[in-house]
Every structure is written in structure tokens, then in C-alpha cells.
């Protein structure tokens, strides 16, 4: 279905338990990735790192998908970062949204990538591939992250350099922000590519296991005594990163049982 055949928002009633919000900004990075912002309902509360189900008002029963909220809890708008899946039931249409369009959002956010699910520590490692950086875009802009951790290491691996743009823009804007820039002094951005030459190459899982990641940053090898982890990426990446952290002696936690690392359980790519 092309954008021309998309029914306007008013054609279908807003399903129960959902907000209908207005798109305020859309930025396309390339033919695979884009970011967009929507208005935030006054009653919508979430913890940085959580996800929410979103969809479009283009059917009686709209297709809804889990999206990590990329904006921090204090932001007056909600930001999402998305891949464009060819023929994807939602992203096929979502990639065509423009400012003024309506996006549906379920009322209850949830998720495991929250600070409450980790026991206290000195350093927080965020492991992301591709659009898995989204929940960390929220967390690195949240002052609570820096209140709880002296150092925050954002690891981002993508196939090529262009896909790292969102992360580089994010960190640059954060450091320049007059309100939150100063608090982010402990933030380290470690970005690697796997399929295009760059000054850091390789999967972060391999670089962690070989020790190159720690050597490059001048940090001690990850340890359960001082370090905490959060993981967001494809199913294979979650599995491999979890195994690597367990190899370093860390244990998976949850909201009900905080421990030394957490894995995004809803992320679908
Ligand atoms: P690679 O190019 O070696 O497959 P994708 O776009 O397929 O989701 O991949 C995003 C990034 O995640 C790519 O750089 C990819 O590397 C990397 N990746 C894929 N699978 C894993 C994994 N199991 N562990 C770590 N990184 C992975």
C-alpha cells in the first residue's frame, strides 16, 4: 500500500488504551534508517530505557510493534529511532510519516533496560548493534544514569560508517547541551563497523572477548565487582553478548531481581 492509499487518521476510531499523537519531526539518515519525534501525552510516564508499542491509524486493528523510547524521561516529546524494513508490516508505512501525521502509542511502557534492574556499580556498559542504540539514547540523556555510575560506556557496532551517524550526532548534541552536557563527562562512546573500513573495526563481542575493547579505552577488563551491562540488538547479538558477559562472571537481572546485567527482551530489530 502506498502513502496515497493510507486512510487518514479520522477514518478509524482510536483503539482503546492508546494515545493518538502528532508527529513533530522526521529525519531520514539513508534508505535504511530514520528517526522521528511525536508529541508526548501529559499523562504518559516512563523510565528511561523502556519500550512501548506503536502503530499507525490506518486499519481497524492497526499493526503494533515494540519500539524503544529514544528520548529521556524528562523530554517533552517522545523520540523513536527505526529501521525501514522492506515490506515490513509497520515500517513500510511508518517510514513515510511527516510532521502533522498521527502515530498511535499504547499507554503502558515496559522493559528490562532500566537502571532499577541493575545492582549498584562503578561503570555501566551499554552494548548496542544497529537500531539497538535507541534505549541507550534515552539513558545517556538521563541525569540519573550519571548519578548512579561514574563511567558510562556506549558501545555501538554497525555494518557501515553511515549507520553510526545517529550515535555520533546524539553524543555530540549531548555534550553541547547546556543543561545535561556537563553531567555526561563520564560518557565514553565506542563505535565500530564490521563491513566498511573505519578507524575501529570488528564486532564489539569479539573486541570484548579479545580484550581490545578495554585496551583501546584504557579500562580494566570487565568484572562483576565493578561493572554493569545492558544489551540491545538482534537475537543473535543478545545471545552472544549475554554469553560474553557471563564469561566475565556477570549475571542477568530483571526488574524483580536486580543483578549485574540486563538484556532487552522485546527488541525486534
Ligand atoms: P556483521 O556485519 O559481522 O554481521 P544487522 O544490521 O545485521 O542487525 O547487524 C548490525 C551489526 O551487528 C553488524 O555490524 C553485525 O556484524 C553485528 N552483529 C550481527 N550479529 C552479531 C552478533 N551475534 N554479535 C555481535 N554483533 C553482531
Amino acid at each position: 500500500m502506498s502513502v496515497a492509499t493510507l486512510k487518514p487518521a479520522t477514518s478509524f476510531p482510536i483503539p482503546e488504551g492508546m494515545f493518538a499523537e502528532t508527529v513533530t519531526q522526521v529525519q531520514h539518515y539513508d534508505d535504511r534508517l530514520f528517526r522521528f519525534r511525536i508529541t508526548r501525552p501529559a499523562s504518559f510516564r516512563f523510565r528511561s530505557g523502556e519500550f512501548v508499542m506503536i502503530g499507525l491509524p490506518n486499519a481497524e486493528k492497526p499493526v503494533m510493534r515494540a519500539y524503544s523510547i529514544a528520548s529521556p524521561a524528562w523530554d517533552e516529546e517522545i523520540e523513536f529511532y527505526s529501521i525501514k524494513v522492506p515490506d515490513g508490516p509497520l515500517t513500510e508505512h511508518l517510514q513515510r510519516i511527516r510532521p502533522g501525521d498521527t502515530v498511535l502509542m499504547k499507554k503502558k511502557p515496559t522493559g528490562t533496560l532500566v537502571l532499577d534492574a541493575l545492582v549498584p556499580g562503578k561503570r555501566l556498559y551499554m552494548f548496542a548493534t544497529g537500531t539497538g542504540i535507541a534505549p541507550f539514547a534515552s539513558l545517556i540523556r538521563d541525569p540519573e544514569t550519571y548519578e548512579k555510575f561514574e563511567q558510562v560506556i556506549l558501545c555501538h557496532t554497525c555494518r557501515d560508517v553511515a549507520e553510526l551517524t545517529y550515535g555520533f550526532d546524539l553524543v555530540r548534541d549531548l555534550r553541547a547541551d547546556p543543561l545535561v552536557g556537563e553531567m555526561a563527562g563520564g560518557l565514553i562512546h565506542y563505535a565500530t563497523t564490521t563491513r566498511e573500513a573505519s578507524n575501529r573495526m570488528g564486532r564489539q563481542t569479539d573486541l570484548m572477548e579479545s580484550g581490545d575493547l578495554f585496551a583501546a579505552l584504557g579500562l580494566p577488563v570487565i568484572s562483576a565487582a565493578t561493572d554493569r551491562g545492558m544489551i540491545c540488538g538482534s537475537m543473535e547479538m543478545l545471545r552472544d553478548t549475554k554469553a560474553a558477559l557471563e564469561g566475565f562472571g556477570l549475571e542477568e537481572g530483571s526488574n524483580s531481581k536486580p543483578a549485574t546485567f540486563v538484556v532487552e527482551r522485546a527488541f525486534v530489530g
Side-chain angles (χ1 to χ4, degrees), residues 32 129-130 157-159 194-195 203 205 234 236-237 240:
R32 288 189 68 209
T129 54
T157 297
C158 291
R159 295 180 188 190
T194 51
R195 301 194 193 182
R203 289 183 174 189
T205 36
S234 64
E236 296 74 27
M237 179 274 191
D240 292 352

Side-chain angles (χ1 to χ4, degrees), residues 212-229:
D212 287 1
L213 187 155
F214 309 108
L217 300 177
L219 293 174
V221 168
I222 201 163
S223 106
T226 49
D227 301 317
R228 307 293 168 253

Side-chain angles (χ1 to χ4, degrees), residues 39-87:
T39 51
R40 176 174 176 172
S43 62
F44 184 69
R45 295 274 171 274
F46 67 100
R47 293 179 295 174
S48 295
E50 286 189 313
F51 66 86
V52 69
M53 305 297 291
I54 65 169
L56 290 170
N58 58 357
E60 199 80 46
K61 283 200 174 160
V63 174
M64 305 295 288
R65 289 284 182 269
Y67 269 75
S68 290
I69 300 169
S71 45
W74 52 260
D75 201 326
E76 56 195 30
E77 292 184 339
I78 307 273
E79 180 174 320
F80 298 104
Y81 180 49
S82 180
I83 194 159
K84 304 172 188 177
V85 182
D87 300 321

Side-chain angles (χ1 to χ4, degrees), residues 112-113 117-119 224 228-231 238-239 241-243 245-247 249-266:
T112 46
L113 297 186
L118 293 173
V119 291
R228 307 293 168 253
M230 289 182 164
I231 315 173
L238 297 181
R239 181 199 62 211
T241 313
K242 174 179 153 81
L245 292 188
E246 285 171 347
L250 277 71
E251 258 179 71
E252 185 173 356
S254 64
N255 277 285
S256 57
K257 193 174 172 291
T260 47
F261 78 90
V262 279
V263 179
E264 180 55 278
R265 287 284 163 214

